[in-house]
């Protein structure tokens, strides 16, 4: 009984040791990849500094707020490089050779690596679904264009904007310049409320705002007169440029928010393929990190184990880049040719998983 308990304890210790090596390598890779991407984004932000009161400090702060999304997006590549770095160092020090000579099988080593990958994947899912969307929304709040005579503010009650003598409240701003639950309050020169307008939804098309279920209320000291119309076309609501700044891109939205918006689009018989694709990639992106870890294993057990660290890293970067480009290409092809969004999201993952499985099967 005692030897069995000792063996279990030794295997747990081995899992932690290999896991720490992989996690440390992945964190190191993220510490390189994410700042490089953030620096490039910061350079782009510098082009807007000085316009409409946008300062250098705000540009820097806004760039910092995009870091969680960068961690989420770069996780697959970082996992590949982390596996190459972490396990590669163990191979250089002959620690993996000792482990295998001691009777530790390849399957157990692979299992230990995937356990560490699963822990990282869960952390990245939390970052991608909770931290990154909130951080990106805050980043959008930092960069508010304020044209002459217009100011805007985002609160828990939605977007508030002032346009002349009108105060506009929009509860929900959706991609594609679609708005829901719009309320407009008009005041006179004496700061008295003289009119209130509400609409269930609005969409910007061909230079005009198409309003749905509109209610006009004229307010006076004597009475309130209300008129309703099913549809109205407005030339003026708010500048579309404002919404382009504050609207989150589909790939930056959380899965539950995407699911809600997809339901809205389908209920209104609108195209939802791009949002369905973004929804499924919210699942395949973290899972691709595990696939990348599988692809890292042949670097330390296969024919490439005799190569230097630089060579392995170079090949790892090339594989990560190939996965990124292949994934983007298939995503776009799925949209162009009307393929099932789930297929477009999962096919790149399956192709690289198959390649990783073949490479692992040849390990010795």
């Amino acid at each position: 009984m005692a030897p069995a308990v000792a063996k279990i304890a030794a295997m747990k210790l081995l899992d932690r040791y290999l896991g720490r090596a992989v996690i440390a390598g992945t964190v190191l890779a993220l510490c390189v990849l994410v700042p490089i991407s953030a620096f490039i984004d910061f350079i782009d932000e510098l082009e807007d500094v000085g316009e409409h009161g946008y300062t250098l400090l705000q540009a820097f702060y806004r760039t910092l707020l995009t870091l969680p999304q960068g961690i989420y997006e770069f996780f697959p590549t970082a996992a590949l490089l982390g596996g190459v770095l972490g396990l590669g160092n163990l191979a250089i020090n002959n620690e993996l050779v000792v482990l295998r000579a001691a009777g530790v099988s390849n399957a157990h080593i692979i299992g230990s690596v995937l356990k560490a990958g699963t822990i990282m994947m869960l952390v990245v899912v939390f970052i991608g679904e909770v931290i990154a969307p909130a951080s990106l929304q805050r980043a959008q709040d930092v960069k508010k264009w304020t044209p002459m005579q217009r100011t805007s503010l985002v609160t828990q009650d939605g977007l508030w904007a002032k346009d002349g003598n009108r105060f506009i409240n929009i509860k929900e701003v959706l991609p594609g310049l679609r708005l829901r639950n719009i309320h407009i309050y008009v005041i006179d020169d004496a700061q008295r409320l003289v009119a209130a307008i509400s609409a269930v939804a609005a969409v910007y098309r061909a230079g005009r705002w198409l309003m749905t279920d509109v209610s006009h209320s004229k307010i006076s000291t004597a009475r309130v007169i209300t008129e309703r119309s099913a549809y109205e076309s407005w030339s003026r609501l708010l500048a579309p440029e404002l919404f382009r700044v504050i609207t989150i891109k589909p790939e930056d939205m959380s899965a539950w928010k995407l699911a809600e918006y997809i339901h809205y689009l389908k209920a209104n018989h609108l195209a939802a393929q791009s949002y369905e694709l973004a929804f499924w990639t919210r699942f395949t992106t973290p899972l691709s990190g595990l696939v990348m870890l599988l692809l890292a294993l042949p670097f330390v057990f296969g024919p490439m184990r005799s190569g230097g660290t630089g060579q392995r890293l170079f090949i790892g970067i090339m594989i990560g880049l190939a996965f990124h480009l292949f994934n983007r290409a298939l995503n776009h092809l799925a949209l162009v040719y009307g393929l099932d969004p789930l297929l477009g999201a999962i096919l790149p993952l399956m192709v690289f998983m198959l390649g990783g499985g073949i490479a692992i099967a040849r390990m010795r």
Side-chain angles (χ1 to χ4, degrees):
M1 186 70 178
V5 174
K7 183 177 180 180
I8 293 174
M11 291 299 102
K12 289 183 178 180
L13 183 62
L14 175 62
D15 290 344
R16 288 196 293 269
Y17 185 70
L18 293 175
R20 280 197 299 268
V22 172
I23 292 173
T26 303
V27 171
L28 178 60
L30 284 173
C31 288
V32 174
L33 296 172
V34 175
I36 290 176
S37 176
F39 180 73
I40 295 173
D41 291 341
F42 179 67
I43 297 299
D44 291 337
E45 289 294 320
L46 292 179
E47 297 180 1
D48 298 327
V49 170
E51 296 186 26
H52 308 288
Y54 191 53
T55 66
L56 180 64
L57 183 60
Q58 286 176 317
F60 181 73
Y61 179 48
R62 189 173 189 271
T63 302
L64 289 180
L65 290 171
T66 63
L67 293 180
Q69 181 66 16
I71 293 173
Y72 179 80
E73 292 178 350
F74 280 106
F75 170 63
T77 302
L80 172 60
L81 298 180
V84 171
L85 285 171
L87 298 178
N89 288 334
L90 298 182
I92 291 173
N93 296 327
N94 293 320
E95 294 177 70
L96 292 180
V97 175
V98 173
L99 289 176
R100 298 174 74 184
V104 179
S105 65
N106 285 347
H108 187 92
I109 294 175
I110 293 171
S112 299
V113 171
L114 291 181
K115 287 178 184 177
T118 301
I119 294 173
M120 292 190 295
M121 182 185 70
L122 294 176
V123 172
V124 166
V125 167
F126 177 77
I127 292 174
E129 291 299 310
V130 179
I131 298 178
S135 183
L136 287 173
Q137 183 61 64
R138 178 56 185 160
Q140 298 286 9
D141 295 345
V142 170
K143 190 174 184 179
K144 284 292 184 298
W145 296 105
T146 53
M148 187 176 299
Q149 296 184 346
R150 288 191 177 100
T151 57
S152 63
L153 173 68
V154 175
T155 70
Q156 292 181 347
D157 294 323
L159 170 69
W160 282 92
K162 181 177 182 294
D163 180 19
N165 66 337
R166 302 187 308 162
F167 290 87
I168 304 169
N169 174 228
I170 301 170
K171 297 294 185 182
E172 194 167 5
V173 181
L174 302 171
L177 291 177
R178 300 179 187 278
L179 315 176
R180 287 200 284 184
N181 295 328
I182 304 108
H183 301 275
I184 303 170
Y185 306 96
V186 184
I187 62 173
D188 60 13
D189 294 335
Q191 304 299 309
R192 293 174 300 191
L193 181 66
V194 295
I197 306 169
S198 65
V200 173
V203 60
Y204 191 74
R205 291 288 182 270
R208 301 186 68 84
W209 289 99
L210 305 180
M211 315 288 286
T212 305
D213 293 335
V214 186
S215 174
H216 294 262
S217 297
K218 294 182 180 179
I219 303 170
S220 66
T221 55
R223 58 179 178 172
V224 176
I225 301 175
T226 301
E227 297 178 354
R228 293 181 172 83
S229 58
Y231 300 98
E232 291 184 11
S233 177
W234 290 21
S235 61
R236 176 187 174 195
L237 179 59
L238 280 176
E241 290 77 12
L242 173 65
F243 299 105
R244 293 192 180 100
V245 171
I246 64 175
T247 302
I248 300 295
K249 296 181 292 185
E251 55 269 26
D252 295 338
M253 297 169 66
S254 62
W256 69 269
K257 194 68 176 178
L258 282 166
E260 181 183 71
Y261 189 47
I262 290 169
H263 175 74
Y264 164 77
L265 290 174
K266 290 186 174 181
N268 289 275
H269 307 289
L270 299 170
Q273 287 85 352
S274 60
Y275 299 96
E276 288 180 306
L277 178 62
F279 174 78
W280 290 116
T281 54
R282 301 300 295 183
F283 299 93
T284 58
T285 296
L287 285 174
S288 61
L290 296 182
V291 175
M292 293 296 104
L293 277 177
L294 288 178
L295 289 174
L297 291 169
F299 285 83
V300 292
F301 288 121
M304 289 176 284
R305 66 179 180 271
S306 58
T309 301
Q311 177 187 349
R312 289 197 294 267
L313 280 177
F314 176 76
I315 298 175
I317 291 173
M318 291 298 101
I319 292 177
L321 181 61
F323 176 79
H324 177 74
L325 295 176
F326 184 60
N327 186 52
R328 293 293 296 272
L330 281 183
N331 287 171
H332 287 296
L333 287 174
L335 293 177
V336 171
Y337 292 102
L339 301 178
D340 186 87
L342 175 58
L343 179 63
I346 203 172
L347 187 57
L349 185 67
M350 298 303 295
V351 170
F352 275 75
M353 183 181 294
L354 178 61
I358 293 174
I360 289 175
R362 293 183 176 181
M363 287 189 335
R364 59 183 188 277

